[in-house]
Amino acid sequence: MFSKLVRNTVLVTTLAFPIVPLASQNALANDIRDFLVYNNNELEITQLYVSSAKSRYWGNNILNSDIVNGSFDMITFGNSSNQCIYDVKAIYSDGTYDLMRQANLCSTYGITFYGHGGDYQEY
């Protein structure tokens, strides 16, 4: 009886663990285009702009606060567009910037900016 109880407990636990990450991931992702911006540059990212790749206008800065070296911010979308391709512009505290063109935000978890005039990585 004891071995049956242990076996059932292990089985239920094993089956439940894959569900937990999926549930928490879905709770965090309100929009497939939401992504993390990570700053791996010695300068602070003071402004961030995300614009449709088809647009000639950047719109407003979407950061609530600066992103210092080694930290990140979550960028969320609040519109009903089904567009995936965007340009992303990070402006640093010294006025320099990095520009990432044609980012597919529907398949991107995050973007790391390294600075130095165009160094970034999508993941």
Side-chain angles (χ1 to χ4, degrees), residues 29-82:
N30 295 325
D31 189 308
I32 193 170
R33 299 166 297 171
D34 294 352
F35 66 99
L36 287 174
V37 173
Y38 181 75
N39 184 7
N40 196 22
N41 184 358
E42 63 277 358
L43 300 171
E44 294 179 358
I45 296 176
T46 58
Q47 299 173 53
L48 190 79
Y49 299 90
V50 178
S51 176
S52 165
K54 298 175 185 177
S55 178
R56 295 186 309 172
Y57 304 101
W58 284 105
N60 296 323
N61 173 23
I62 60 172
L63 287 183
N64 293 324
S65 61
D66 295 350
I67 305 174
V68 298
N69 175 294
S71 64
F72 64 89
D73 197 359
M74 182 70 169
I75 306 303
T76 58
F77 282 75
N79 61 39
S80 60
S81 170
N82 61 358

